[in-house]
Structures are given as C-alpha cells and as structure tokens.
Amino acid sequence: MDAHEVDRVSRAIDSGLPSEYRGYAVRFGWDAQEPVHHVTVTTVDAWLEEELGVLNGRHLSLHDWLVTPQQKLLGVVAGAVYADDGRLQVVRDALRWYPDDLWLWILGCQWSRIAQEEAFVQRASEVGDELGSRVVAARLTRDLMRLALLMDRSYAPYTKWLGTAFARLGHPDGLDRDLEHALAADTLADRERALTTAYEKVALRHNELKLTEPVDPVPRQYFDRPAMVLGAGRFVAACLAAVRDARVNELPGLVGAIDQFADNTDVLSNPAVYRKLISIYEK
C-alpha cells in the first residue's frame, strides 16, 4: 500500500467492520483501553519505522543490527502473510538472520556469558549459598537456551515464549532434559553433573556447525579448584578468530548485541529507548 491510500483504507475499515464476527466482538478493549477494532493500516516503511525504529528495513547498518532486539526482528520475519505485492518479502528476506561475521561475534559473546559464570555454581555452594548456586544454574540454563537458538539461526522471542521456542528446536541429544535436571537438582553434585552434560552437548552442536576450528567439547576442572566447567572461553576465542569483517573485529569489548546485556521489557519493546544504546558500540 502507498502512503496516499492509508486514510482511505482506514476509513473504509472503520465504517465497514461489523460489530461481531461469529459471535465474537470485533471491537474490544481492556483496563483503560477503549473498545476499538485493532486493525492497523499503514505502509511497510512506516510499520518498520514504528516496530524497529529504522527508516529502511532492507539495509540495516552494523549498529542497527546490534541494537535491535531479537524479539523485534522476529516480529518482522515470522507470522502469516496473506497478501504481499513484494515490498514486505524483500524486507523479511533481508532480516531473516544476522550477517555471518556478526553472527559469529554474537555467538562468541554468548559463550562469554557462560564463561563468566560457569564456575560460580560450585563456588556459591562451597560457601554455603545454595540459593545463589541455584540462581547461577538458572542463569546459565537461560544462556544455554539462547545459545541453542542462536546456533539454530532462530531469533529468541519475548521471555514468556522462550521455553516454547527452545522446545520447538527439537533435542534428539536430550539437551532439554539436562537443563530441566539442572534446575530441579537438590544437590550441587546433581546440578553440576546436569550442567556439564549440557555444556558438552552444546559444544558438540557448535562443532557440527563448522563455523570455527573444532574445540574440545569435554568438560574439565576449573584450574586447581573443585568446580567442573566447560571452559567456555575457548569457544569465545574460536568464534572471534573466525570473524573476518574488520568492522565487527573493531567492536568494543564483548558486550554482545542488545539482548545479551539488557533484558528490561521497557527497553527491548521501545525503539525510541533501545536505539539510544547505539552509543555503546561507538568508539
């Protein structure tokens, strides 16, 4: 649809919709929301600007990719389309997944999150903090789920649907059961066993992608301490070594894309807010 047609089509819908369809109200509201029909009429470019905060969804810059939440990208590339004159499909194709080198960097940053905390499951328990140990295990479980989605080239949805999206991947290696066991474990030994089993399976998945040089997937002792870990930093190094794009290699630190350092709903759902974070990636 062209911009000059928006008002005409909007008026036609406003006046033409019935009050009910198959017994269901066409116009509805909630809380302070007045009943309306919730049919939006707009152009592809205007919709993308509102949803993503970009003027051209076909040509995202490196910083645009980094600062746009996965749940927002998923909202553009997923879902049914019943009619398209070609203007939407070209955008969907462009946003289907990250450019290869950026994907590698984001994978490395996700492995970095695991490397930062994998020893803390044991170390928290060692000082009598069982609750802290469980919390770290839960954080690592969430990071492994998101890593599995990244490996599958699948954008992570809003938190409410993360488990559903993870389940849809299918897990013939039993990764889903290992993560369930890690969360349900009552003892450090069981918790650590489930997590290290999961680490090895995700490491094997990494090697199967053949994006980097192979990395030994076997868990190991954390230096001379009793914690068992994967040593996820090795996977970080492998990912970064495979990046060829100079612009990606010059990104500051390993903060990752926005989903890897921010999880506040009011940030990730609002382009006017999250686009202010582009400065994080500027030198």
Side-chain angles (χ1 to χ4, degrees):
M1 178 185 298
D2 294 319
H4 70 272
E5 297 178 301
V6 170
D7 287 343
R8 176 183 61 80
V9 174
S10 295
R11 288 193 299 271
I13 289 175
D14 289 341
S15 61
L17 284 176
S19 59
E20 290 187 354
Y21 180 75
R22 294 186 177 181
Y24 293 96
V26 171
R27 295 167 178 80
F28 59 93
W30 57 89
D31 300 329
Q33 171 66 54
E34 292 293 325
V36 293
H37 58 61
H38 303 283
V39 177
T40 300
V41 181
T42 187
T43 65
V44 169
D45 286 341
W47 176 63
L48 287 170
E49 185 175 1
E50 181 177 355
E51 287 297 304
L52 304 183
V54 298
L55 296 176
N56 189 335
R58 295 170 291 281
H59 302 288
L60 263 60
S61 70
L62 177 61
H63 289 174
D64 289 335
W65 276 112
L66 286 164
V67 83
T68 305
Q70 290 188 35
Q71 67 191 49
K72 301 294 277 186
L73 293 166
L74 182 61
V76 173
V77 304
V81 175
Y82 301 101
D84 179 20
D85 63 3
R87 281 180 277 192
L88 177 58
Q89 189 57 50
V90 68
V91 174
R92 285 184 140 200
D93 291 343
L95 301 183
R96 188 67 59 187
W97 193 242
Y98 297 108
D100 286 347
D101 280 323
L102 182 57
W103 177 32
L104 270 167
W105 187 80
I106 291 172
L107 281 168
C109 292
Q110 191 66 18
W111 278 117
S112 179
R113 287 181 57 91
I114 294 167
Q116 290 164 358
E117 297 192 357
E118 58 183 335
F120 297 166
V121 174
Q122 185 277 332
R123 296 184 71 186
S125 179
E126 185 178 36
V127 297
D129 183 8
E130 281 301 307
L131 177 58
S133 177
R134 288 173 181 264
V135 168
V136 176
R139 284 173 56 87
L140 287 165
T141 294
R142 181 174 182 267
D143 280 338
L144 288 167
M145 292 169 67
R146 295 183 69 96
L147 179 57
L149 286 163
L150 279 170
M151 289 181 176
D152 191 66
R153 300 177 177 86
S154 298
Y155 290 127
Y158 178 61
T159 300
K160 178 174 65 173
W161 302 109
L162 179 62
T164 301
F166 178 72
R168 285 175 180 163
L169 295 181
H171 302 284
D173 59 2
L175 176 63
D176 52 343
R177 294 190 298 275
D178 297 325
L179 296 181
E180 289 175 3
H181 294 160
L183 293 177
D186 290 326
T187 67
L188 170 64
D190 289 341
R191 194 175 306 130
E192 194 172 63
R193 186 180 305 111
L195 278 173
T196 52
T197 302
Y199 293 151
E200 185 166 1
K201 290 176 180 178
V202 177
L204 289 169
R205 292 188 187 187
H206 170 93
N207 287 336
E208 288 170 2
L209 291 173
K210 300 186 186 309
L211 294 172
T212 74
E213 291 296 319
V215 183
D216 183 0
V218 178
R220 68 253 354 258
Q221 188 172 337
Y222 183 66
F223 299 106
D224 60 350
R225 301 183 182 185
M228 288 296 293
V229 299
L230 176 64
R234 299 174 299 122
F235 292 82
V236 179
C239 288
L240 298 183
V243 174
R244 295 291 177 260
D245 189 323
R247 298 171 305 156
V248 176
N249 278 321
E250 291 171 0
L251 288 170
L254 287 172
V255 295
I258 187 170
D259 304 274
Q260 295 172 302
F261 67 82
D263 63 1
N264 184 288
T265 298
D266 289 335
V267 173
L268 299 183
S269 63
N270 189 343
V273 175
Y274 65 67
R275 288 195 60 80
K276 293 179 180 179
L277 300 178
I278 283 180
S279 61
I280 289 174
Y281 302 107
E282 295 173 346
K283 293 183 180 179

